[in-house]
Amino acid sequence: MLKILKVTRRFGKKIAVDGVDIEIGDGQMVGIIGRSGAGKSTLLRMINRLIDPTEGAISYADREVSALRGAALRAWQRDCAMIFQQFNLVPRLDVVSNVLHGVLNRRSTLSTVFSLYPTEDIHTAIDILDRLGIADHAAKRVEALSGGQQQRVAIARALMQDPKVILADEPIASLDPMNAQIVMDTLRRIHDEDGRMIVCNLHTLDTARRYCDRVVGMRDGAIVFDGVPDELTTSVARQIYGAGESFSEASTSTSIEVLEPIREPVREPAYAV
Amino acid sequence: MTDIALRGVDGLKVDYLALVRRRRMYSGLLLVLFVALLAGGFGLADSRNAGGFWGGLTQIFDFPVELMREAIDKGAALPANLWRYLPAMIETINIAAVSTLLGAVLAVFLSLLSTRGLARWPRLMPLFRRVMDTMRAIPEIVIALVLIFVLGGGPVPAMIAIAFHTAGALGKLFSEVNENADLKPIEGLSSVGASWFQRIWLGVLPQVMPNYLSYALLRFEINVRASAILGFVGAGGIGAELRVAISWGTGRYDAAAAIFLLLFLTIVAIDQLSSHVRNRLVGGH
Ligand SMILES: Nc1ncnc2c1ncn2[C@@H]1O[C@H](COP(=O)(O)OP(=O)(O)O)[C@@H](O)[C@H]1O
Ligand SMILES: [Mg+2]
């Protein structure tokens, strides 16, 4: 159980996350939605402890992870994998080497600095790549792969950590619809097969609806919605995104089958003043 | 047909492990080579050294100790000495500053003209690179000696000599910075129809400026020392004074200590300035 207790984060005067208070059970797949700047990334980065909360606490399995330091902190980061929008892989290293980064916390600094990973680790890495359907690219440099393939390498690195929690910060925002679907299918499959907790920031409603068991809506740093996808009506969505009457879900869709044809054309009057 | 279908995952594992073994062998060889070079180079230096390295090692501190002893004996004269040599120090800093500035401006152009993806005339890139190599290859002191011979002593030959060398040295470092610049913003500017100069000024310089600046300030520090050394051969400034103080035999070490102190304080000041300015630039608020 991941507990986020009244967590607030400020950047100077700006409040990025404002008193967020939620609990996420083991094995849940949760989507966090909200417009850009709502504080989604900041929240995930605090859970992974890339940044620290200004106020409040985060705990997992009744251990306060927001108070960890040093080796204990790094061990938590190993158990709580993070997937980024821009993949954040090392472009000049090959695919397997990037996946092997998932065991950095388990192995000695000296052996990893000289890339002396045990053979069993290399086998595991290639098995994971095979599971994600990209084993063919094992020896290629990451920079030679497409965005969708790179994101699957990032997921493989996360799996290599054998984490209890997987955080994904807009994993499909830089991908085309086809690759977006592959990546989301992969995440869902990991959730179903391994039973890992997945918390995923998404900027499109239909993805959250389709893949998540629970959807959390954020606006201006605070949680404004928390429920199952079916409760996510158009009026609720308007409230989360702070949009007017012209808001249409299909216009933000990234899925391949468009949900419904857009009946009234959405016009932004910005250029027609 | 893909590898997977042909050979299965196990085949891939075998291939990759072979690759890993090959890489490890290369790294091992490289390490052996490195150690051998280090040992060989040291042996050579030791055998060529006039007095022998190990014999001289015990005497290495004799000079600084003597200098310190005398400086401490005449400690009371230190403030007066510092004051006395300050104008010469300022002259040296002046020479270094002007030549760093001139050299850096030249280096910016040379480096931009010789970076792939940014060069105005891509065909001429090798030419600009060789120009920088040449400028870097000739030591300041050689240029300064020639110029002093032609123009007579004084700060101008030193300035030209240091600026020349600086342009080559900074040009090299700047072009490495340029290599790492993100080309996406430049593509963005190209897409709106910007000229080469506009692309560089608006798309490249904002990215590379902090690094340029910290390299230039490091070079400034090096140039302070270079201009002090050029004083030894007739370019004026603190070097001329240091030469007198050090070679006068006994009795002037208090002056030498004051000059070293001035040099030290100057370097510290430049270093502080450098990190301060860089933080401001990188913070960017
Ligand atoms: N490192 C930072 N420094 C200053 N402000 C930040 C920083 N990171 C995020 N913010 C601000 O916090 C708010 C929330 O940002 P973010 O969590 O990235 O939102 P989201 O991921 O939902 O788009 C934004 O207003 C953003 O400008
Ligand atoms: Mg974000």
Side-chain angles (χ1 to χ4, degrees):
Chain A
M1 175 87 89
L2 178 69
K3 290 183 187 158
I4 296 165
L5 304 161
K6 298 211 166 53
V7 164
T8 296
R9 169 73 207 203
R10 293 193 192 88
F11 291 105
K13 285 209 182 72
K14 165 100 201 157
I15 300 182
V17 169
D18 190 2
V20 164
D21 202 72
I22 48 171
E23 292 186 356
I24 300 174
D26 286 320
Q28 279 192 20
M29 179 146 178
V30 180
I32 301 179
I33 58 171
R35 63 185 182 193
S36 166
K40 310 182 292 293
S41 303
T42 307
L43 184 60
L44 285 204
R45 294 165 72 81
M46 284 192 289
I47 299 174
N48 185 257
R49 291 290 310 277
L50 290 171
I51 51 175
D52 294 331
T54 315
E55 284 162 30
I58 298 168
S59 73
Y60 181 81
D62 295 324
R63 201 163 61 119
E64 191 182 337
V65 298
S66 52
L68 299 177
R69 293 274 171 277
L73 169 60
R74 291 193 295 276
W76 162 247
Q77 290 174 318
R78 175 197 66 210
D79 289 338
C80 168
M82 182 103 175
I83 295 164
F84 299 86
Q85 176 181 347
Q86 296 292 340
F87 326 131
N88 296 23
L89 300 165
V90 186
R92 296 179 59 81
L93 293 183
D94 69 47
V95 167
V96 177
S97 301
N98 268 284
V99 176
L100 284 168
H101 290 167
V103 297
L104 288 184
N105 187 254
R106 279 172 233 268
R107 305 285 173 246
S108 80
T109 303
L110 196 67
S111 66
T112 52
V113 162
F114 291 104
S115 294
L116 299 172
Y117 296 97
T119 305
E120 68 195 63
D121 282 355
I122 296 178
H123 281 178
T124 312
I126 295 177
D127 283 335
I128 292 173
L129 288 171
D130 186 40
R131 182 180 174 199
L132 304 187
I134 44 173
D136 260 344
H137 305 291
K140 280 192 196 158
R141 276 194 190 180
V142 158
E143 61 195 353
L145 303 188
S146 74
Q149 290 165 336
Q150 289 195 31
Q151 194 59 293
R152 279 184 280 165
V153 176
I155 296 174
R157 178 177 71 186
L159 287 180
M160 196 73 197
Q161 293 175 241
D162 193 13
K164 301 190 173 77
V165 179
I166 296 180
L167 309 172
D169 189 7
E170 309 216 5
I172 56 169
S174 9
L175 304 180
D176 60 85
M178 179 68 199
N179 275 303
Q181 188 172 343
I182 293 174
V183 164
M184 284 314 293
D185 283 345
T186 308
L187 282 176
R188 182 72 209 188
R189 187 155 64 91
I190 289 165
H191 168 265
D192 293 345
E193 290 172 6
D194 304 359
R196 299 185 210 266
M197 180 195 301
I198 297 189
V199 183
C200 190
N201 285 351
L202 295 165
H203 71 299
T204 51
L205 268 177
D206 59 322
T207 325
R209 250 207 203 107
R210 182 187 306 184
Y211 289 98
C212 301
D213 311 319
R214 175 179 167 194
V215 177
V216 171
M218 284 184 79
R219 186 173 172 188
D220 298 333
I223 289 184
V224 293
F225 172 83
D226 187 355
V228 294
D230 286 343
E231 293 170 315
L232 202 58
T233 58
T234 305
S235 71
V236 171
R238 272 189 193 131
Q239 196 204 337
I240 293 173
Y241 287 96
E245 288 301 307
S246 66
F247 179 82
S248 149
E249 189 172 325
S251 67
T252 69
S253 171
T254 54
S255 81
I256 294 172
E257 316 104 60
V258 174
L259 299 174
E260 55 192 48
I262 301 168
R263 292 200 192 88
E264 40 190 301
V266 188
R267 281 241 169 73
E268 280 297 322
Y271 52 84
V273 176
Chain B
M1 194 170 268
T2 60
D3 277 355
I4 281 259
L6 278 173
R7 320 211 15 240
V9 192
D10 291 332
L12 282 172
K13 283 180 187 169
V14 171
D15 289 354
Y16 191 79
L17 283 172
L19 182 72
V20 167
R21 264 193 297 279
R22 213 158 45 236
R23 275 190 204 152
R24 283 182 191 166
M25 196 180 69
Y26 287 143
S27 329
L29 282 178
L30 219 61
L31 191 69
V32 170
L33 193 73
F34 177 76
V35 172
L37 274 177
L38 204 66
F42 186 81
L44 182 74
D46 191 34
S47 66
R48 291 281 172 84
N49 212 334
F53 176 75
W54 299 107
L57 197 57
T58 49
Q59 296 158 26
I60 207 167
F61 292 113
D62 287 2
F63 179 70
V65 164
E66 197 179 327
L67 195 146
M68 285 305 290
R69 191 179 300 135
E70 200 178 319
I72 290 167
D73 282 351
K74 299 188 183 170
L78 188 66
N81 272 332
L82 285 178
W83 185 246
R84 180 171 155 213
Y85 291 116
L86 192 63
M89 188 69 236
I90 290 174
E91 187 181 343
T92 295
I93 295 175
N94 246 328
I95 296 174
V98 173
S99 48
T100 308
L101 218 58
L102 283 176
V105 170
L106 202 57
V108 169
F109 282 100
L110 284 170
S111 73
L112 287 169
L113 289 172
S114 59
T115 306
R116 209 170 336 118
L118 301 180
R120 178 75 181 80
W121 303 286
R123 289 247 186 106
L124 294 183
M125 267 167 45
L127 174 73
F128 290 114
R129 287 212 181 141
R130 293 300 85 76
V131 168
M132 288 195 299
D133 290 350
T134 314
M135 294 173 112
R136 211 163 51 241
I138 308 175
E140 289 117 346
I141 197 149
V142 174
I143 307 172
L145 281 174
V146 172
L147 288 175
I148 287 171
F149 183 73
V150 178
L151 303 174
V156 174
M159 236 175 250
I160 298 174
I162 298 174
F164 194 77
H165 186 86
T166 298
L170 276 183
K172 171 79 179 168
L173 293 172
F174 286 179
S175 49
E176 311 238 310
V177 176
N178 297 344
E179 296 268 350
N180 291 325
D182 189 358
L183 292 178
K184 286 200 255 350
I186 299 148
E187 202 178 27
L189 290 180
S190 293
S191 76
V192 303
S195 70
W196 180 78
F197 195 78
Q198 288 170 321
R199 292 200 299 273
I200 297 295
W201 190 259
L202 301 167
V204 180
L205 290 190
Q207 294 187 58
V208 295
M209 223 42 206
N211 282 328
Y212 275 13
L213 198 80
S214 64
Y215 277 134
L217 283 166
L218 172 67
R219 196 68 220 178
F220 179 43
E221 198 181 303
I222 296 172
N223 286 350
V224 168
R225 220 176 40 221
S227 97
I229 289 171
L230 291 186
F232 270 70
V233 299
I238 199 91
E241 305 286 355
L242 184 62
R243 182 182 172 184
V244 173
I246 269 193
S247 62
W248 209 254
T250 50
R252 297 288 301 143
Y253 284 169
D254 56 329
I259 292 170
F260 281 133
L261 193 60
L262 277 174
L263 276 169
F264 172 72
L265 292 177
T266 306
I267 300 294
V268 170
I270 297 172
D271 186 60
Q272 290 296 100
L273 178 79
S274 153
S275 55
H276 177 73
V277 172
R278 205 185 132 77
N279 284 344
R280 287 279 300 270
L281 260 179
V282 173
H285 292 301

